[in-house]
Amino acid sequence: MSTRRTVTLAVLTGLALILFVLELRLPNLLPVPGFKLGLANIVTVYAVFRFSPKETALIVTARVLLGAMFSGNPSALIYSAAGAFCCLAGMIALRKILPAERIWLCSVIGAMLHNTGQTAAACAVMRSAAPAVYLPVLLAAGMTAGLFTGLTAQFLVKRAGAGNRNGRFG
Amino acid sequence: MAAVKAKRMAVTAAAGAVFAVSLVLSVRFFRKSPHTLVEIVQDGTVIRTVDLSAAPDETIRIERRDGQSYNLVRIENGEIFVQEAGCPDQTCVHMGKLHSDALPIICVPNRLIIRFAEEDGT
Ligand SMILES: [Zn+2]
């Protein structure tokens, strides 16, 4: 990995972390356990379409670990990790079949997988199916939020692509 | 390529279907429960049952198993809610009063659930 690329990945991880921490400061839009706007997902979606799966996984892993530390809520690590990696795996699979105009859809499905993975983890930890009752609300709200973060990422990927017509850089 | 296009359509349709079903299922979250019997569940075990139609006002302090956190559960005028909590996210407090069968109050960090009990047969 070139130095330039390492630096780019570090900057993206930092950006994702800033968005994550910023979101913690925002008021709770929907009082349902596990609901988040997922602003940091803008970076993940961007990375999925601009970087290799391995590099994207690095960014996400670093963001999840650092995010758990910064949020002062290390017990939430298991939920956010379960969600983030389900989301990542799905989006990496989708990037091969979705064109640049459908990046928003990749994000919507990523949000769906994130909420499902996170709910499954919560059910496992709490030894109860109770968290699953939130799943419909989480999905409806999460996929809507995913549409907006996805459209933002799509805009950014297109902008980046315009400055670098050869596709993925590095 | 035709194969990619077919996959793309399948994925789009699946996402649309999941969204539509979720939206429909979400509606029942706003329906008020006909039940009055409430269970407080910690770590998967019912630790207390309260009949809201007959319960006097009360504040119940529930310590997390490891003693590192707590929830103050308040019963007031036949309604139940989390008044205060030591959890980092405070979602349980923001959820307000328990009103729907489909939407129990959950404190994920403290592994606490407050829900309406299924009264025999209903
Ligand atoms: Zn709580």
Side-chain angles (χ1 to χ4, degrees):
Chain A
M1 211 184 285
S2 72
T3 310
R4 189 186 154 198
R5 206 155 173 87
T6 311
V7 169
T8 312
L9 291 182
V11 168
L12 281 177
T13 306
L15 189 61
L17 201 59
I18 289 168
L19 290 173
F20 180 84
V21 172
L22 180 77
E23 193 176 332
L24 291 174
R25 303 270 164 267
L26 295 177
N28 219 335
L29 284 179
L30 187 71
V32 168
F35 176 72
K36 292 194 75 189
L37 275 175
L39 293 179
N41 200 48
I42 295 172
V43 173
T44 311
V45 177
Y46 177 83
V48 162
F49 282 86
R50 298 283 302 173
F51 293 88
S52 74
K54 210 171 129 190
E55 289 163 333
T56 310
L58 269 174
I59 296 175
V60 171
T61 308
R63 204 274 295 149
V64 166
L65 290 176
L66 292 170
M69 279 167 56
F70 278 74
S71 67
N73 188 7
S75 65
L77 177 65
I78 178 163
Y79 313 113
S80 63
F85 291 110
C86 283
C87 169
L88 181 64
M91 295 205 299
I92 285 172
L94 283 172
R95 86 172 180 158
K96 290 185 198 113
I97 60 166
L98 292 179
E101 296 72 42
R102 292 274 187 94
I103 289 176
W104 61 269
L105 181 61
C106 190
S107 170
V108 166
I109 295 171
M112 179 183 113
L113 294 169
H114 186 110
N115 289 319
T116 310
Q118 180 192 29
T119 301
C123 287
V125 169
M126 293 182 84
R127 280 181 248 115
S128 160
V133 301
Y134 293 111
L135 193 56
V137 170
L138 269 181
L139 285 176
M143 288 169 86
T144 307
L147 173 66
F148 289 105
T149 53
L151 285 171
T152 308
Q154 183 166 332
F155 171 77
L156 294 173
V157 170
K158 283 199 158 170
R159 284 293 295 271
N164 179 18
R165 290 215 179 273
N166 301 333
R168 295 165 215 284
F169 59 94
Chain B
M1 266 200 315
V4 168
K5 217 166 192 180
K7 272 187 198 165
R8 199 180 288 164
M9 275 178 69
V11 162
T12 311
V18 169
F19 183 72
V21 170
S22 303
L23 216 51
V24 170
L25 289 179
S26 299
V27 172
R28 67 196 193 98
F29 279 68
F30 303 99
R31 203 180 298 147
K32 201 172 156 47
S33 172
H35 304 305
T36 56
L37 204 61
V38 169
E39 290 173 341
I40 301 175
V41 183
Q42 186 180 38
D43 268 317
T45 322
V46 178
I47 54 167
R48 175 111 187 235
T49 309
V50 186
D51 184 359
L52 288 182
S53 63
D57 292 0
E58 186 188 355
T59 306
I60 308 163
R61 187 182 167 95
I62 299 165
E63 293 288 331
R64 194 165 76 184
R65 285 283 171 85
D66 62 5
Q68 299 294 301
S69 188
Y70 69 97
N71 295 76
L72 280 191
V73 178
R74 176 79 184 149
I75 298 165
E76 203 175 292
N77 303 322
E79 293 174 311
I80 189 164
F81 55 94
V82 178
Q83 189 171 47
E84 202 185 299
C87 61
D89 62 305
Q90 298 288 304
T91 301
C92 53
V93 179
H94 294 144
M95 287 188 71
K97 294 163 185 162
L98 181 69
H99 70 276
S100 151
D101 283 334
L103 197 71
I105 298 172
I106 297 191
C107 183
V108 178
N110 294 355
R111 302 183 188 181
L112 189 79
I113 301 166
I114 303 170
R115 65 179 179 215
F116 284 106
E118 301 283 325
E119 283 147 294
D120 39 282
T122 50

